[in-house]
C-alpha cells in the first residue's frame, strides 16, 4: 500500500485520500489516471479518484482511457465500459500486447547519452506513433553530461531532417523548453529505463513525486523504476503521462502498408514504383530504393524498414 493511500490494497502510486461521498452502483464517466497491472485509478467529476478493477473481459485498459465506472462504495469501483479511443500507443510481440497510453496526441520520446540509448527503440516508437497519428517529439535529456551528449545529438540530427522536433535539455536544470510543445496536448513520456522520464515529469509537476533512481553504471541500463503509467494534469487543456521504461518495442500489430506509411520520408515516392505491390526491399524499378541510392532517403532508415518488413513477414501465424 502506498504511504497515504487509504483505499488501495495495491501499489497504486496515487497518494490521495479520497472523500467518502460515493453512491453505490451509480454509473459515471471517468478518466483512467493510473494503470498498474489490472488495477486502475479513475478520476471522476470533481477530481474524485476511484480505485477500480475492470468488470468482465474488457481487453487491455490504458492510462488515458475514458471509461464508465460503477461505484461500489469505499472509494472503489468497477470499470464497466471503455469508450472508443482516438489513439492507442501500444507494442506487441509474439507473446503479448502491452498498452502504453490511450487518447494521446503526442509522445515525448526521451533519450540520453547515459545509459546508452538504442536508436532502434526510438525508431520503432516513432513508427508506432505515425501509425496512430500521434505526434512524435524527441527530448535529448541530460545535456549537462556535455562530453557524452555530442554523439547522441549527432545521431538525432537525422530525425530533425525527417521533421521531428528534437529538444535538448537537462531535466535536472531546466524543463521550460518543454512547456510550449506540451501545451494543448495529452502527451505520454516514453523511452528506455533510466533516460530521465520521471525526472522530467517531476520537474513539470512539482506535486508528482514520481520515483526516480540512479541507473546501473555496471549494466549501462536503467532500473525499471516506474512500474505503471500515471497521468498528471498540467493545465485545463494539457496533461502528461509518465510510463515505465521499455527495452524492446515489438510492432507485430502493423500491416505492411501501415509500416510503409509510417516512414514519412517514403511518402512522396508512393505510387511511383514499377510494381503496384512493390515491397521496397529488392524489387526492380522501386523508387524508394532509387531514392536511397540517390541519398534522398537515409540508408539507416531503409535498413531498419527492411528489418521490420522481415519481422512482419516472418510473424508466426498464431502470434495474435
Ligand atoms: N545528469 C543528469 N541526470 C539525470 C537527468 N535527468 C535524470 N537524471 C538521472 O537519471 C536517473 C534515471 O532517472 P529516472 O527519471 O528515474 O528515469 P526513467 O526514465 O523514469 O526510468 P524508468 O522509470 O526506469 O523507466 C536518475 O538518477 C536521475 O537523477 C539530467 O538531466 N541530468
Ligand atoms: Mg520512471
Ligand atoms: Zn518500391
Amino acid at each position: 500500500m502506498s504511504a497515504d493511500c487509504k483505499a488501495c490494497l495495491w501499489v497504486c502510486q496515487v497518494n490521495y485520500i479520497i472523500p467518502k461521498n460515493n453512491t453505490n452502483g451509480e454509473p459515471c464517466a471517468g478518466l483512467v489516471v493510473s494503470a498498474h497491472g489490472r488495477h486502475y485509478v479513475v478520476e471522476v467529476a470533481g477530481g474524485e479518484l476511484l480505485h477500480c478493477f475492470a468488470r468482465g473481459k474488457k481487453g487491455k485498459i490504458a492510462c488515458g482511457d475514458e471509461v464508465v465506472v460503477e461505484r461500489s462504495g469505499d472509494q472503489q469501483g468497477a470499470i464497466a465500459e471503455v469508450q472508443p479511443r482516438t489513439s492507442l500507443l501500444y507494442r506487441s510481440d509474439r507473446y503479448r500486447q502491452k498498452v502504453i497510453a490511450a487518447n494521446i496526441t503526442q509522445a515525448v520520446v526521451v533519450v540520453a547519452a547515459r545509459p546508452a540509448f538504442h536508436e532502434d527503440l526510438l525508431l520503432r516508437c516513432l513508427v508506432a506513433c505515425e501509425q496512430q497519428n500521434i505526434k512524435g517529439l524527441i527530448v535529448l535529456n541530460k545535456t549537462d553530461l556535455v562530453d557524452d551528449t555530442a554523439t547522441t545529438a549527432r545521431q538525432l540530427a537525422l530525425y530533425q531532417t525527417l521533421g521531428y522536433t528534437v529538444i535538448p535539455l537537462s531535466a535536472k536544470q531546466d524543463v521550460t523548453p518543454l512547456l510550449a510543445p506540451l501545451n494543448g496536448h495529452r502527451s505520454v513520456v516514453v523511452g528506455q529505463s533510466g533516460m530521465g522520464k520521471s525526472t522530467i515529469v517531476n520537474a513539470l509537476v512539482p506535486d508528482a513525486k514520481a520515483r526516480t533512481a540512479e541507473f546501473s553504471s555496471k549494466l549501462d541500463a536503467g532500473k525499471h523504476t516506474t512500474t505503471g503509467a500515471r497521468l498528471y494534469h498540467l493545465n485545463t487543456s494539457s496533461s502528461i503521462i509518465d510510463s515505465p521504461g521499455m527495452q524492446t518495442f515489438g510492432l507485430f500489430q502493423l500491416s505492411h502498408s501501415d509500416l510503409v506509411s509510417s516512414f514519412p520520408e517514403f511518402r512522396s515516392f508512393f505510387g511511383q514504383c514499377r510494381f503496384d505491390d512493390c515491397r521496397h526491399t529488392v524489387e526492380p524499378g522501386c523508387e524508394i530504393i532509387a531514392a536511397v541510392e540517390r541519398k534522398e532517403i537515409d540508408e539507416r532508415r531503409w535498413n531498419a524498414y527492411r528489418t521490420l518488413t522481415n519481422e512482419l513477414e516472418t510473424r508466426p501465424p498464431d502470434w495474435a
Side-chain angles (χ1 to χ4, degrees), residues 141-145 169-173 191-200 211-215 222-226 242-245:
N141 188 27
K142 310 196 188 183
T143 52
D144 49 297
L145 307 175
L169 57 81
S170 165
K172 284 201 166 170
Q173 293 171 350
Q192 284 165 244
S193 179
M195 295 286 129
K197 298 180 295 298
S198 301
T199 308
I200 290 172
R211 278 208 313 128
T212 64
E214 206 54 66
F215 63 90
K223 291 185 178 161
H224 292 276
T225 311
T226 305
D242 190 13
S243 75

Side-chain angles (χ1 to χ4, degrees), residues 258-292:
D258 286 336
L259 179 65
V260 179
S261 51
S262 298
F263 281 71
E265 69 272 45
F266 289 8
R267 289 175 193 152
S268 60
F269 301 101
F270 287 169
Q272 296 178 26
C273 299
R274 186 180 306 162
F275 302 111
D276 286 347
D277 60 349
C278 186
R279 290 158 59 252
H280 324 298
T281 55
V282 292
E283 293 76 2
C286 172
E287 272 308 306
I288 285 177
I289 299 176
V292 175

Side-chain angles (χ1 to χ4, degrees), residues 4-8 14-22 41-42 47-51 74-76:
D4 302 312
C5 180
K6 299 283 184 266
C8 176
V14 177
N15 297 326
Y16 291 87
I17 300 167
I18 305 154
K20 276 199 169 186
N21 57 353
N22 299 326
V41 177
V42 177
E48 190 185 345
L49 299 168
L50 302 180
H51 294 250
D74 221 9
Q75 301 92 44
Q76 304 205 2

